[in-house]
Amino acid sequence: MALQIGDKVPDFEADTSEGHIRFYDYIDGKWAILFSHPKNFTPVCTTELGYTAKLKDEFAKRGVVVMGLSVDQLTDHETWAKDIEETQGTALNFPLIADHDRKVATLYGMIHPNASDTMTVRSVFVIGPDKTLKMSLNYPASTGRNFDEILRVIDSLQLTAAHKVATPVNWKHGEDVIIVPAVSDEEAKTKFPGGWKALKPYLRIVPQPK
Ligand code: BEZ
C-alpha cells in the first residue's frame, strides 16, 4: 500500500551524487523533502532540478534537507549535472540518488506502472523531524511541479507543529491563520493572548504567529 500521511517513512541506503548515504542519517531530526523525477537528460526535469537548487537558502531558512532521485547511473548524474548548471544557471547542491535498480523508487511507490514501467512519476514526500510523512504528491511526467508551493506547504506544516494553527485556502506566508479545532477556547486564551476573531465557534482566525 502507498505511504500515507502519518506513516513512518522507510529507511534505505543509496549511492548519490554526494556519496553513499543512509537516508535516516541524512534526515535525522530535520524536516526533509524526498522527490523523484522521471529520468536524466529530460527537459522538464532539468528545469525542476535547477530551480530546486536555486531554493537552497529557502530550504536552509526552514531547516529542510532535500534529496532527489533518478533511476539512472551515477556517471549519468555527473554528466547531467553539468547540463543543469549550464542551462539553469545553478549547480546541483543536494544529493541525487542513482536508483538505477529502482530499489528506492519501488520502496516509496514512485513507479506507477500504468504510466510507465521504467520511469518514476514526479513524486514529492515531505517528511517531519519525527520521520513521519507529512505530505505527498504525484505529478505526471509532462507537468513540472511548483516548488514554491512545496515551500508554502512546509511553512504551513511548521506553523501547525509550532503553534497549533492551520492555514486557510490559498494562504500565503504572513496572512491570517486558523486555530486548529483540537485547541479549546480555554487553551486558545493562553496561546493567543491577543484574542481571535470567531466567525463561527469552529472558525477562529488569528494573525500568523511569528
Ligand atoms: C521531462 O522531464 O521533460 C519529461 C520526462 C519524461 C516524459 C516527459 C517529459
Side-chain angles (χ1 to χ4, degrees), residues 37-39 41-46 48 119-120 122 140-143:
H37 57 88
K39 194 100 188 81
F41 305 109
T42 51
V44 177
C45 301
T46 302
E48 284 192 332
M119 297 189 300
T120 53
R122 298 187 191 280
S142 51
T143 306

Side-chain angles (χ1 to χ4, degrees), residues 36-76:
S36 61
H37 57 88
K39 194 100 188 81
N40 284 14
F41 305 109
T42 51
V44 177
C45 301
T46 302
T47 64
E48 284 192 332
L49 267 73
Y51 192 76
T52 307
K54 279 196 177 73
L55 292 179
K56 183 184 169 76
D57 291 347
E58 294 300 323
F59 291 127
K61 232 192 274 176
R62 293 163 175 83
V64 176
V65 291
V66 176
M67 189 179 281
L69 176 146
S70 196
V71 290
D72 295 271
Q73 303 281 350
L74 210 45
T75 47
D76 291 331

Side-chain angles (χ1 to χ4, degrees), residues 180-198:
V180 300
V183 171
S184 66
D185 281 352
E186 268 317 292
E187 186 184 352
K189 278 181 202 153
T190 45
K191 286 191 81 60
F192 308 100
W196 58 87
K197 187 165 71 181

